[in-house]
């Protein structure tokens, strides 16, 4: 399995040791779990954003009607130069 060396400050390393001890796990497992949780969170946010984009696109006319002040002016509309 590929590995990654990560540098921590002395304070961060001591905090990691303490947290791992409190949780009854190794520092390696603690850091791996934190990274895996962040990866899962990132993927969920990406999926949520994509679902929102699909929903918004499929209801664009309804949003435009409900929030006309938020619509960008069409080409040729707006301030004169």
């Amino acid at each position: 399995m590929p590995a990654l060396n990560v540098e921590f400050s002395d304070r961060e390393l001591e905090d990691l040791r303490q947290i791992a001890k409190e949780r009854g796990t190794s520092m390696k497992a603690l850091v791996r779990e934190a990274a895996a949780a962040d990866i899962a969170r990132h993927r969920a946010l990406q999926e949520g954003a994509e679902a929102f984009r699909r929903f918004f696109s499929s209801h664009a006319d309804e949003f435009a009607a409900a929030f006309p002040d938020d619509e960008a002016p069409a080409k040729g509309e707006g301030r004169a130069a």
Side-chain angles (χ1 to χ4, degrees):
M1 180 184 298
L4 173 68
N5 292 328
V6 180
E7 295 180 14
F8 295 98
S9 69
D10 290 340
R11 175 61 194 237
E12 291 168 333
L13 200 54
E14 184 54 39
D15 288 346
L16 284 171
R17 280 190 188 103
Q18 184 62 36
I19 294 167
K21 182 178 178 183
E22 290 172 5
R23 294 184 185 178
T25 190
S26 69
M27 289 175 38
K28 184 177 180 178
L30 180 69
V31 171
R32 186 170 188 325
E33 288 170 15
D38 196 53
I39 290 167
R41 179 182 167 277
H42 180 75
R43 286 179 182 157
L45 287 172
Q46 286 180 318
E47 290 170 8
E50 182 55 34
F52 174 78
R53 281 191 287 276
R54 284 192 309 269
F55 178 83
F56 187 83
S57 292
S58 67
H59 297 280
D61 292 340
E62 295 166 64
F63 280 107
F67 305 102
D69 293 343
D70 292 337
E71 287 298 299
K75 277 191 171 183
E77 291 182 16
R79 296 184 185 169

